[in-house]
Coordinates of all heavy atoms in Angstrom, one line a residue:
M1 N 1.8 -11.0 1.5 CA 2.6 -10.1 0.7 C 2.9 -10.9 -0.6 O 2.9 -12.1 -0.5 CB 3.9 -9.7 1.4 CG 3.7 -9.0 2.7 SD 5.3 -8.5 3.4 CE 5.0 -6.7 3.5
T2 N 3.2 -10.2 -1.7 CA 3.7 -10.7 -2.8 C 4.8 -10.1 -3.4 O 4.9 -8.9 -3.6 CB 2.5 -10.7 -4.0 OG1 1.3 -11.3 -3.6 CG2 3.0 -11.3 -5.3
L3 N 5.9 -10.8 -3.6 CA 7.2 -10.4 -4.2 C 7.0 -10.2 -5.7 O 6.7 -11.2 -6.3 CB 8.4 -11.2 -3.8 CG 9.7 -10.6 -4.3 CD1 10.0 -9.3 -3.7 CD2 10.8 -11.6 -4.0
T4 N 7.1 -9.0 -6.2 CA 7.0 -8.7 -7.6 C 8.3 -8.1 -8.1 O 9.1 -7.5 -7.5 CB 5.8 -7.8 -7.9 OG1 5.9 -6.6 -7.3 CG2 4.5 -8.5 -7.4
N5 N 8.4 -8.2 -9.6 CA 9.5 -7.6 -10.2 C 9.1 -6.5 -10.9 O 8.5 -6.5 -11.9 CB 10.2 -8.7 -11.1 CG 11.3 -8.2 -11.9 OD1 11.7 -7.0 -11.9 ND2 12.0 -9.0 -12.6
P6 N 9.5 -5.2 -10.3 CA 9.2 -3.9 -11.0 C 9.7 -3.7 -12.4 O 9.2 -3.0 -13.2 CB 9.7 -2.9 -10.0 CG 10.7 -3.5 -9.2 CD 10.4 -5.0 -9.1
D7 N 10.8 -4.5 -12.7 CA 11.5 -4.3 -14.0 C 10.9 -5.3 -15.0 O 11.1 -5.3 -16.2 CB 12.9 -4.8 -14.0 CG 13.7 -3.8 -13.1 OD1 13.3 -2.5 -13.0 OD2 14.7 -4.2 -12.4
N8 N 9.8 -6.1 -14.6 CA 9.0 -6.9 -15.5 C 7.6 -6.7 -15.3 O 6.8 -7.7 -15.1 CB 9.5 -8.4 -15.3 CG 8.9 -9.3 -16.3 OD1 8.5 -8.9 -17.4 ND2 9.1 -10.6 -16.0
N9 N 7.0 -5.5 -15.4 CA 5.6 -5.2 -15.2 C 5.0 -5.7 -13.9 O 3.8 -6.0 -13.9 CB 4.9 -5.7 -16.5 CG 5.4 -5.0 -17.7 OD1 5.6 -3.9 -17.8 ND2 5.4 -5.8 -18.7
G10 N 5.8 -5.8 -12.8 CA 5.3 -6.2 -11.6 C 4.8 -7.8 -11.5 O 4.1 -8.0 -10.8
T11 N 5.4 -8.5 -12.4 CA 5.0 -9.9 -12.3 C 5.6 -10.5 -11.1 O 6.6 -10.2 -10.5 CB 5.6 -10.7 -13.5 OG1 6.9 -10.5 -13.6 CG2 5.0 -10.2 -14.9
P12 N 4.8 -11.5 -10.5 CA 5.4 -12.3 -9.3 C 6.7 -13.0 -9.5 O 7.0 -13.5 -10.6 CB 4.3 -13.2 -9.0 CG 3.0 -12.8 -9.6 CD 3.5 -12.0 -10.9
V13 N 7.5 -12.9 -8.4 CA 8.9 -13.7 -8.5 C 8.6 -15.0 -7.9 O 8.1 -15.1 -6.7 CB 9.8 -12.8 -7.7 CG1 11.2 -13.6 -7.6 CG2 10.0 -11.4 -8.3
D14 N 9.1 -16.0 -8.6 CA 9.1 -17.4 -8.0 C 10.1 -17.5 -6.8 O 11.2 -17.4 -7.1 CB 9.4 -18.5 -9.1 CG 9.2 -19.8 -8.6 OD1 9.0 -20.1 -7.4 OD2 9.2 -20.7 -9.4
I15 N 9.7 -17.6 -5.6 CA 10.5 -17.9 -4.5 C 10.8 -19.3 -4.0 O 11.1 -19.5 -2.9 CB 10.0 -16.9 -3.3 CG1 8.6 -17.2 -2.9 CG2 10.1 -15.5 -3.8 CD1 8.0 -16.5 -1.7
T16 N 10.5 -20.2 -4.9 CA 10.7 -21.6 -4.6 C 12.2 -21.8 -4.1 O 13.1 -21.4 -4.8 CB 10.4 -22.4 -5.8 OG1 9.0 -22.2 -6.0 CG2 10.6 -24.0 -5.4
G17 N 12.3 -22.5 -3.0 CA 13.7 -22.7 -2.5 C 14.3 -21.6 -1.6 O 15.6 -21.7 -1.2
W18 N 13.7 -20.4 -1.6 CA 14.2 -19.4 -0.8 C 13.9 -19.5 0.6 O 13.0 -20.1 1.0 CB 13.6 -18.1 -1.3 CG 13.9 -17.6 -2.7 CD1 14.4 -18.4 -3.8 CD2 13.8 -16.3 -3.3 NE1 14.6 -17.7 -5.0 CE2 14.2 -16.4 -4.6 CE3 13.3 -15.1 -2.8 CZ2 14.2 -15.3 -5.5 CZ3 13.3 -14.0 -3.7 CH2 13.8 -14.2 -5.0
T19 N 14.6 -18.8 1.4 CA 14.4 -18.5 2.9 C 14.1 -17.1 3.2 O 15.0 -16.2 2.5 CB 15.6 -19.0 3.7 OG1 15.8 -20.3 3.5 CG2 15.3 -18.9 5.2
I20 N 13.1 -16.8 3.8 CA 12.8 -15.4 4.0 C 12.8 -15.1 5.5 O 12.2 -15.9 6.3 CB 11.4 -15.0 3.5 CG1 11.3 -15.3 2.0 CG2 11.1 -13.5 3.7 CD1 10.0 -15.2 1.3
A21 N 13.4 -14.0 5.9 CA 13.4 -13.6 7.4 C 13.1 -12.1 7.5 O 13.4 -11.4 6.6 CB 14.8 -13.9 8.0
S22 N 12.6 -11.8 8.7 CA 12.3 -10.3 8.9 C 12.4 -10.2 10.5 O 12.1 -10.9 11.3 CB 10.9 -10.0 8.5 OG 10.6 -8.6 8.6
S23 N 13.0 -9.0 10.6 CA 13.2 -8.5 12.1 C 12.8 -7.1 12.3 O 12.8 -6.3 11.5 CB 14.7 -8.6 12.4 OG 15.2 -9.9 12.5
V24 N 12.5 -6.8 13.6 CA 12.0 -5.5 14.0 C 13.1 -5.0 15.0 O 13.4 -5.7 16.1 CB 10.6 -5.4 14.6 CG1 10.3 -4.1 15.2 CG2 9.7 -5.9 13.6
R25 N 13.6 -3.8 14.9 CA 14.5 -3.1 15.7 C 14.1 -1.8 16.2 O 13.4 -1.1 15.4 CB 15.9 -3.1 15.2 CG 16.5 -4.5 14.9 CD 17.9 -4.4 14.3 NE 18.4 -5.6 14.0 CZ 19.0 -6.5 14.9 NH1 19.2 -6.1 16.2 NH2 19.4 -7.7 14.6
Y26 N 14.6 -1.5 17.4 CA 14.4 0.0 18.0 C 15.7 0.4 18.5 O 16.3 -0.3 19.4 CB 13.2 -0.1 19.0 CG 13.1 1.4 19.6 CD1 12.6 2.4 18.7 CD2 13.5 1.7 20.8 CE1 12.4 3.7 19.3 CE2 13.4 3.0 21.4 CZ 12.8 4.0 20.6 OH 12.6 5.3 21.1
S27 N 16.2 1.5 18.0 CA 17.6 2.0 18.3 C 18.6 0.9 18.4 O 19.4 0.6 19.3 CB 17.5 2.7 19.8 OG 16.6 3.8 19.7
R28 N 18.6 0.1 17.3 CA 19.6 -0.9 17.0 C 19.3 -2.1 17.9 O 20.1 -3.2 17.8 CB 20.9 -0.5 17.1 CG 21.3 0.6 16.1 CD 22.8 0.9 16.1 NE 23.1 2.0 15.2 CZ 24.2 2.6 15.1 NH1 25.2 2.3 15.9 NH2 24.4 3.6 14.2
Q29 N 18.4 -2.1 18.8 CA 18.1 -3.3 19.7 C 17.0 -4.1 19.0 O 16.0 -3.6 18.6 CB 17.7 -2.8 21.1 CG 17.3 -3.9 21.9 CD 16.7 -3.4 23.3 OE1 16.6 -2.3 23.6 NE2 16.2 -4.3 24.1
L30 N 17.4 -5.4 18.9 CA 16.3 -6.4 18.4 C 15.1 -6.4 19.2 O 15.2 -6.7 20.5 CB 17.0 -7.8 18.3 CG 16.1 -9.0 17.8 CD1 15.7 -8.6 16.3 CD2 16.6 -10.3 17.9
I31 N 14.0 -6.2 18.6 CA 12.7 -6.3 19.3 C 12.0 -7.6 19.1 O 11.6 -8.3 20.0 CB 11.7 -5.1 18.8 CG1 12.4 -3.7 19.1 CG2 10.4 -5.3 19.5 CD1 12.6 -3.4 20.6
A32 N 12.1 -8.0 17.8 CA 11.4 -9.3 17.5 C 11.9 -9.9 16.1 O 12.2 -9.1 15.2 CB 9.9 -9.3 17.5
D33 N 12.0 -11.2 16.0 CA 12.2 -11.9 14.8 C 10.8 -12.3 14.4 O 10.1 -12.9 15.1 CB 13.0 -13.1 14.8 CG 14.6 -12.7 15.0 OD1 15.0 -11.8 14.4 OD2 15.3 -13.4 15.8
L34 N 10.3 -11.9 13.2 CA 8.9 -12.1 12.8 C 8.9 -13.5 12.2 O 9.8 -14.1 11.8 CB 8.4 -11.0 11.8 CG 8.6 -9.6 12.3 CD1 8.1 -8.6 11.2 CD2 7.8 -9.3 13.6
D35 N 7.6 -14.1 12.3 CA 7.2 -15.3 11.7 C 7.0 -15.1 10.2 O 6.1 -14.4 9.8 CB 6.0 -16.0 12.4 CG 6.3 -16.1 13.8 OD1 7.4 -16.5 14.3 OD2 5.4 -16.3 14.6
V36 N 7.8 -15.7 9.4 CA 7.5 -15.7 7.9 C 7.1 -17.1 7.4 O 7.9 -18.1 7.7 CB 8.8 -15.2 7.2 CG1 8.6 -15.1 5.6 CG2 9.3 -13.9 7.7
T37 N 6.1 -17.1 6.6 CA 5.5 -18.3 5.9 C 5.4 -18.1 4.5 O 4.7 -17.2 4.1 CB 4.3 -18.8 6.6 OG1 4.4 -18.9 8.1 CG2 3.8 -20.1 6.1
I38 N 6.1 -19.0 3.7 CA 5.8 -18.9 2.3 C 4.5 -19.7 2.1 O 4.3 -20.9 2.4 CB 7.0 -19.5 1.5 CG1 8.3 -18.7 1.7 CG2 6.6 -19.7 0.0 CD1 9.5 -19.3 1.1
T39 N 3.5 -19.0 1.4 CA 2.2 -19.5 1.2 C 2.0 -20.0 -0.2 O 1.1 -21.0 -0.4 CB 1.0 -18.5 1.6 OG1 1.4 -17.2 0.8 CG2 1.1 -18.2 3.1
N40 N 2.7 -19.4 -1.2 CA 2.5 -19.9 -2.6 C 3.8 -19.4 -3.2 O 3.9 -18.3 -3.8 CB 1.3 -19.4 -3.4 CG 1.2 -19.9 -4.7 OD1 2.1 -20.2 -5.3 ND2 -0.1 -20.1 -5.1
A41 N 4.8 -20.3 -3.2 CA 6.2 -19.9 -3.6 C 6.2 -19.5 -5.1 O 6.8 -18.6 -5.6 CB 7.3 -21.1 -3.4
A42 N 5.5 -20.3 -6.0 CA 5.5 -20.1 -7.4 C 4.9 -18.6 -7.8 O 5.4 -18.0 -8.7 CB 4.7 -21.1 -8.2
L43 N 4.0 -18.2 -7.0 CA 3.4 -16.8 -7.2 C 4.0 -15.7 -6.3 O 3.5 -14.7 -6.2 CB 1.9 -16.9 -7.0 CG 1.2 -17.8 -8.1 CD1 -0.4 -17.7 -7.7 CD2 1.3 -17.2 -9.4
G44 N 5.2 -16.1 -5.6 CA 5.8 -15.2 -4.8 C 5.1 -14.7 -3.5 O 5.5 -13.7 -3.0
E45 N 4.2 -15.5 -3.0 CA 3.4 -15.1 -1.9 C 3.8 -15.6 -0.5 O 4.3 -16.8 -0.5 CB 1.8 -15.6 -2.1 CG 1.3 -15.0 -3.3 CD -0.1 -15.5 -3.7 OE1 -0.5 -16.5 -2.9 OE2 -0.7 -15.2 -4.6
F46 N 3.8 -14.7 0.5 CA 4.3 -15.0 1.8 C 3.6 -14.2 2.7 O 3.1 -13.2 2.4 CB 5.9 -15.0 1.9 CG 6.5 -13.6 1.7 CD1 6.7 -12.7 2.8 CD2 6.7 -13.1 0.4 CE1 7.2 -11.5 2.6 CE2 7.2 -11.8 0.2 CZ 7.5 -11.0 1.2
T47 N 3.7 -14.6 4.1 CA 3.0 -13.9 5.2 C 4.1 -13.5 6.2 O 5.1 -14.3 6.4 CB 1.8 -14.5 5.9 OG1 2.4 -15.8 6.4 CG2 0.7 -14.8 4.8
I48 N 3.9 -12.4 6.8 CA 4.8 -12.0 8.0 C 3.8 -11.7 9.2 O 2.9 -10.8 9.0 CB 5.6 -10.7 7.7 CG1 6.6 -11.0 6.5 CG2 6.5 -10.3 8.9 CD1 7.3 -9.9 6.1
A49 N 4.1 -12.3 10.2 CA 3.1 -12.2 11.4 C 3.8 -12.3 12.7 O 5.0 -12.8 12.7 CB 2.0 -13.2 11.3
L50 N 3.1 -12.0 13.8 CA 3.7 -12.2 15.1 C 2.4 -12.2 16.0 O 1.6 -11.3 15.8 CB 4.7 -11.1 15.5 CG 5.6 -11.6 16.6 CD1 6.6 -12.8 16.3 CD2 6.5 -10.4 17.0
P51 N 2.4 -13.2 17.0 CA 1.1 -13.1 17.9 C 1.1 -11.9 18.8 O 2.0 -11.3 19.1 CB 1.4 -14.3 18.6 CG 2.4 -15.2 18.0 CD 3.4 -14.2 17.2
F52 N -0.1 -11.5 19.0 CA -0.4 -10.4 19.9 C 0.3 -10.4 21.1 O 0.9 -9.4 21.7 CB -2.0 -10.3 20.3 CG -2.2 -9.3 21.4 CD1 -2.2 -7.9 21.1 CD2 -2.5 -9.7 22.5 CE1 -2.4 -7.0 22.2 CE2 -2.7 -8.9 23.6 CZ -2.7 -7.5 23.4
T53 N 0.5 -11.6 21.8 CA 1.3 -11.8 23.0 C 2.7 -11.3 22.9 O 3.3 -10.9 23.9 CB 1.2 -13.3 23.5 OG1 1.8 -14.0 22.5 CG2 -0.2 -13.7 23.8
Q54 N 3.2 -11.3 21.7 CA 4.6 -10.8 21.5 C 4.6 -9.3 21.2 O 5.4 -8.5 21.6 CB 5.3 -11.6 20.5 CG 5.5 -13.0 21.0 CD 6.3 -13.8 20.1 OE1 7.3 -13.5 19.5 NE2 5.9 -15.1 19.8
T55 N 3.6 -8.8 20.3 CA 3.7 -7.5 19.8 C 3.2 -6.6 21.0 O 3.6 -5.4 21.1 CB 2.8 -7.2 18.6 OG1 1.4 -7.6 18.9 CG2 3.2 -8.0 17.4
A56 N 2.5 -7.1 22.0 CA 2.1 -6.4 23.1 C 3.2 -6.0 24.0 O 3.2 -4.8 24.7 CB 1.0 -7.1 23.9
L57 N 4.3 -6.5 23.8 CA 5.5 -6.1 24.5 C 6.5 -5.1 23.9 O 7.5 -4.7 24.4 CB 6.3 -7.5 24.9 CG 5.7 -8.5 25.6 CD1 6.4 -9.8 25.7 CD2 5.2 -8.1 27.0
W58 N 6.1 -4.8 22.6 CA 6.9 -3.9 21.8 C 7.0 -2.4 22.6 O 5.9 -2.0 23.1 CB 6.4 -3.7 20.5 CG 6.6 -4.9 19.5 CD1 7.2 -6.1 19.9 CD2 6.5 -5.1 18.2 NE1 7.3 -7.0 18.9 CE2 6.9 -6.3 17.8 CE3 6.0 -4.1 17.3 CZ2 6.7 -6.8 16.4 CZ3 5.9 -4.5 15.9 CH2 6.3 -5.8 15.6
P59 N 8.0 -1.8 22.4 CA 8.1 -0.4 23.0 C 7.2 0.6 22.3 O 7.2 0.6 21.0 CB 9.6 0.0 22.8 CG 10.0 -0.7 21.7 CD 9.3 -2.1 21.8
A60 N 6.2 1.1 23.0 CA 5.2 1.9 22.4 C 5.3 3.4 23.0 O 5.7 3.6 24.0 CB 3.8 1.4 22.6
G61 N 4.8 4.3 22.2 CA 4.8 5.7 22.6 C 3.2 6.2 22.5 O 2.4 5.5 22.1
P62 N 3.1 7.4 23.1 CA 1.7 7.9 22.9 C 1.3 8.2 21.4 O 2.2 8.3 20.6 CB 1.7 9.3 23.7 CG 3.2 9.6 23.8 CD 4.0 8.3 23.7
K63 N 0.1 8.4 21.2 CA -0.4 8.6 19.9 C 0.3 9.8 19.2 O 0.6 9.8 18.1 CB -1.9 8.9 19.8 CG -2.5 9.1 18.5 CD -4.0 9.3 18.6 CE -4.6 9.7 17.2 NZ -6.0 9.9 17.3
E64 N 0.6 10.8 20.0 CA 1.2 12.0 19.5 C 2.6 11.8 19.2 O 3.3 12.6 18.5 CB 1.1 13.2 20.5 CG -0.3 13.5 21.0 CD -0.9 12.5 21.9 OE1 -0.1 12.0 22.7 OE2 -2.1 12.3 21.9
A65 N 3.3 10.8 19.7 CA 4.8 10.5 19.5 C 5.0 9.0 19.6 O 5.6 8.5 20.5 CB 5.6 11.3 20.6
P66 N 4.5 8.4 18.4 CA 4.7 6.9 18.5 C 6.2 6.5 18.3 O 7.1 7.4 17.9 CB 4.0 6.5 17.2 CG 3.9 7.7 16.4 CD 3.9 8.9 17.3
R67 N 6.6 5.3 18.8 CA 7.9 4.9 18.7 C 8.1 4.4 17.2 O 7.1 3.6 16.7 CB 8.2 3.7 19.6 CG 8.1 4.1 21.1 CD 9.5 4.7 21.5 NE 9.4 5.3 22.8 CZ 9.8 4.6 23.8 NH1 10.3 3.4 23.7 NH2 9.7 5.2 25.0
R68 N 9.0 4.8 16.5 CA 9.3 4.3 15.1 C 10.2 3.1 15.2 O 11.4 3.2 15.4 CB 10.0 5.4 14.3 CG 8.9 6.6 14.0 CD 9.4 7.5 13.1 NE 9.4 7.0 11.7 CZ 10.1 7.4 10.9 NH1 11.0 8.3 10.9 NH2 9.8 6.8 9.5
L69 N 9.7 1.9 14.9 CA 10.5 0.7 14.8 C 10.9 0.5 13.4 O 10.1 0.7 12.5 CB 9.6 -0.5 15.3 CG 8.9 -0.3 16.8 CD1 8.2 -1.5 17.1 CD2 9.9 0.1 17.8
K70 N 12.1 0.0 13.3 CA 12.6 -0.4 12.0 C 12.4 -1.8 11.6 O 12.6 -2.6 12.5 CB 14.2 0.0 11.9 CG 14.5 1.4 11.9 CD 15.9 1.6 11.8 CE 16.3 3.1 12.0 NZ 17.8 3.3 11.8
C71 N 12.1 -2.1 10.3 CA 12.0 -3.4 9.9 C 12.5 -3.5 8.4 O 12.3 -2.5 7.6 CB 10.4 -3.7 10.0 SG 10.1 -5.5 9.6
D72 N 12.9 -4.8 8.0 CA 13.1 -5.1 6.7 C 12.8 -6.6 6.5 O 12.5 -7.2 7.4 CB 14.6 -4.7 6.2 CG 15.7 -5.5 6.8 OD1 15.4 -6.4 7.5 OD2 16.8 -5.3 6.5
I73 N 13.0 -7.0 5.2 CA 12.7 -8.3 4.9 C 13.9 -8.8 4.2 O 14.4 -8.2 3.2 CB 11.5 -8.5 3.9 CG1 10.3 -8.0 4.6 CG2 11.2 -10.0 3.7 CD1 9.0 -7.7 3.7
Q74 N 14.6 -10.0 4.6 CA 15.7 -10.5 4.0 C 15.3 -11.8 3.1 O 14.7 -12.7 3.7 CB 16.6 -10.9 5.0 CG 18.0 -11.4 4.6 CD 18.9 -11.6 5.7 OE1 19.5 -10.8 6.2 NE2 19.0 -12.9 6.2
F75 N 15.8 -11.8 1.9 CA 15.5 -12.9 1.1 C 16.9 -13.6 0.7 O 17.7 -13.1 0.3 CB 14.9 -12.5 -0.2 CG 13.7 -11.7 -0.1 CD1 13.7 -10.3 -0.1 CD2 12.5 -12.4 -0.1 CE1 12.5 -9.6 0.1 CE2 11.2 -11.6 0.0 CZ 11.3 -10.2 0.1
D76 N 16.9 -14.9 1.2 CA 18.0 -15.8 0.8 C 17.7 -16.6 -0.3 O 16.9 -17.6 -0.2 CB 18.5 -16.7 2.0 CG 19.3 -15.8 3.0 OD1 20.2 -15.0 2.8 OD2 18.9 -16.0 4.3
R77 N 18.2 -16.2 -1.5 CA 17.9 -16.8 -2.8 C 18.9 -18.1 -3.1 O 20.0 -17.9 -2.8 CB 18.0 -15.8 -3.9 CG 17.1 -14.7 -3.6 CD 17.3 -13.6 -4.6 NE 18.6 -13.0 -4.5 CZ 19.1 -12.1 -5.4 NH1 18.3 -11.6 -6.3 NH2 20.3 -11.5 -5.2
S78 N 18.2 -19.2 -3.5 CA 19.0 -20.3 -3.8 C 20.2 -20.3 -4.7 O 21.2 -20.9 -4.5 CB 18.1 -21.5 -4.1 OG 17.2 -21.2 -5.3
V79 N 20.0 -19.4 -5.7 CA 21.1 -19.2 -6.7 C 21.8 -17.9 -6.5 O 23.0 -17.8 -6.6 CB 20.6 -19.4 -8.2 CG1 21.6 -19.1 -9.2 CG2 19.9 -20.7 -8.3
D80 N 21.1 -16.8 -6.4 CA 21.7 -15.5 -6.4 C 22.1 -14.8 -5.1 O 22.5 -13.7 -5.1 CB 20.7 -14.4 -7.1 CG 20.4 -14.9 -8.6 OD1 21.4 -15.3 -9.2 OD2 19.3 -14.8 -9.0
G81 N 22.0 -15.6 -4.0 CA 22.5 -15.0 -2.8 C 21.5 -14.2 -2.0 O 20.2 -14.3 -2.3
R82 N 21.9 -13.4 -1.0 CA 21.0 -12.7 -0.2 C 20.8 -11.2 -0.7 O 21.7 -10.6 -1.1 CB 21.7 -12.6 1.1 CG 20.9 -11.8 2.2 CD 21.6 -11.9 3.5 NE 21.4 -13.2 4.1 CZ 22.1 -13.6 5.2 NH1 23.0 -12.8 5.9 NH2 21.9 -14.9 5.6
V83 N 19.5 -10.8 -0.5 CA 19.1 -9.4 -0.7 C 18.1 -9.1 0.2 O 17.4 -9.9 0.7 CB 18.6 -9.3 -2.3 CG1 17.3 -10.1 -2.5 CG2 18.6 -7.8 -2.7
S84 N 18.2 -7.8 0.6 CA 17.2 -7.2 1.6 C 16.3 -6.1 1.0 O 16.7 -5.4 0.0 CB 17.8 -6.7 2.9 OG 18.5 -7.8 3.5
S85 N 15.1 -6.1 1.5 CA 14.2 -4.9 1.1 C 14.8 -3.7 1.7 O 15.6 -3.6 2.6 CB 12.7 -5.2 1.6 OG 12.8 -4.9 3.0
Q86 N 14.1 -2.5 1.2 CA 14.5 -1.2 1.9 C 13.8 -1.3 3.4 O 12.9 -2.1 3.6 CB 13.8 -0.1 1.2 CG 14.3 0.1 -0.2 CD 13.6 1.3 -0.8 OE1 12.5 1.7 -0.5 NE2 14.3 1.9 -1.9
T87 N 14.4 -0.7 4.2 CA 13.9 -0.5 5.6 C 12.7 0.3 5.5 O 12.5 1.2 4.8 CB 15.0 0.2 6.4 OG1 16.2 -0.5 6.5 CG2 14.5 0.4 7.9
F88 N 11.7 -0.3 6.3 CA 10.5 0.5 6.5 C 10.2 0.7 8.0 O 10.8 0.0 8.8 CB 9.3 -0.2 5.7 CG 9.0 -1.6 6.1 CD1 8.1 -2.0 7.1 CD2 9.7 -2.6 5.5 CE1 7.8 -3.3 7.3 CE2 9.4 -4.0 5.8 CZ 8.5 -4.3 6.8
Y89 N 9.2 1.5 8.3 CA 9.0 1.8 9.7 C 7.6 1.4 10.2 O 6.6 1.4 9.4 CB 9.1 3.3 10.0 CG 10.6 3.7 9.7 CD1 10.9 4.2 8.3 CD2 11.5 3.7 10.6 CE1 12.2 4.7 8.1 CE2 12.8 4.1 10.4 CZ 13.2 4.5 9.1 OH 14.4 4.9 8.8
I90 N 7.4 0.9 11.4 CA 6.3 0.6 12.1 C 6.1 1.7 13.2 O 6.9 1.7 14.1 CB 6.3 -0.9 12.6 CG1 6.5 -1.8 11.5 CG2 5.0 -1.1 13.5 CD1 6.8 -3.2 12.0
N91 N 5.0 2.4 13.1 CA 4.7 3.4 14.2 C 3.9 2.6 15.3 O 2.9 2.1 15.1 CB 3.9 4.6 13.7 CG 4.7 5.5 12.7 OD1 5.9 5.7 12.9 ND2 4.1 6.0 11.9
C92 N 4.6 2.6 16.4 CA 4.1 1.8 17.5 C 3.5 2.7 18.6 O 4.2 3.5 19.2 CB 5.1 0.8 18.0 SG 4.6 -0.4 19.3
T93 N 2.1 2.7 18.8 CA 1.5 3.5 19.9 C 0.8 2.6 20.9 O 0.6 1.4 20.7 CB 0.5 4.4 19.2 OG1 -0.6 3.6 18.5 CG2 1.1 5.2 18.2
E94 N 0.6 3.2 22.0 CA 0.0 2.5 23.1 C -1.4 2.1 22.8 O -2.1 2.8 22.1 CB 0.0 3.5 24.3 CG 1.4 3.8 24.9 CD 1.4 4.9 25.9 OE1 0.4 5.7 25.9 OE2 2.4 5.0 26.7
D95 N -1.8 1.0 23.2 CA -3.2 0.5 22.9 C -3.9 0.9 24.2 O -3.6 0.6 25.3 CB -3.1 -1.1 22.8 CG -4.4 -1.7 22.4 OD1 -5.3 -0.9 22.1 OD2 -4.6 -2.9 22.5
Q96 N -5.1 1.4 23.9 CA -6.0 1.9 25.0 C -7.1 0.9 25.4 O -7.4 0.9 26.6 CB -6.7 3.2 24.6 CG -5.7 4.4 24.3 CD -4.7 4.5 25.3 OE1 -5.0 4.8 26.5 NE2 -3.3 4.6 25.0
T97 N -7.4 0.1 24.4 CA -8.4 -1.1 24.8 C -7.7 -2.3 25.1 O -6.9 -2.7 24.2 CB -9.3 -1.2 23.6 OG1 -9.8 0.0 23.3 CG2 -10.4 -2.1 23.8
Q98 N -7.9 -2.8 26.2 CA -7.2 -4.0 26.8 C -8.2 -5.2 26.8 O -9.2 -5.2 27.2 CB -6.7 -3.8 28.2 CG -5.7 -2.6 28.2 CD -4.4 -2.9 27.5 OE1 -3.9 -4.0 27.6 NE2 -3.9 -1.9 26.7

């Protein structure tokens, strides 16, 4: 992912010295804290991931009615304090191929 500033023509935001965290919840219950790695702080680049062994345990629904898991990204900025992204949803369905 790349954090950009929409008020400045989408230029990347320097995230040097920041801490980034992200969690997934279902019905207010914590499902997982995601692994966040800053890959290029000067260009605002970071990754969010979790191994299959952990995502395989997430609550899933059938294709017709997936479970909607809530997620956001929290940025702890070295000078300006904490800010979070808008909440977004992950539709979690049962995996048929094992």
Side-chain angles (χ1 to χ4, degrees):
M1 302 181 121
T2 302
L3 182 63
T4 60
N5 183 346
D7 295 331
N8 191 12
N9 296 321
T11 57
V13 175
D14 186 346
I15 56 176
T16 300
W18 292 21
T19 302
I20 303 172
S22 185
S23 296
V24 175
R25 294 184 181 274
Y26 179 70
S27 296
R28 298 185 182 172
Q29 178 183 356
L30 178 65
I31 301 301
D33 288 320
L34 304 179
D35 298 330
V36 179
T37 303
I38 295 175
T39 55
N40 188 330
L43 293 178
E45 298 175 357
F46 61 98
T47 61
I48 298 176
L50 202 63
F52 167 77
T53 54
Q54 293 181 43
T55 61
L57 303 174
W58 289 9
K63 181 179 177 183
E64 303 78 33
R67 296 279 172 92
R68 291 188 75 201
L69 309 181
K70 293 181 180 181
C71 188
D72 70 1
I73 304 167
Q74 179 177 283
F75 301 93
D76 284 315
R77 303 172 295 179
S78 53
V79 176
D80 297 321
R82 179 176 290 169
V83 66
S84 292
S85 72
Q86 292 182 344
T87 298
F88 57 93
Y89 296 91
I90 301 169
N91 289 328
C92 190
T93 58
E94 297 168 338
D95 187 12
Q96 302 307 310
T97 304
Q98 302 290 321

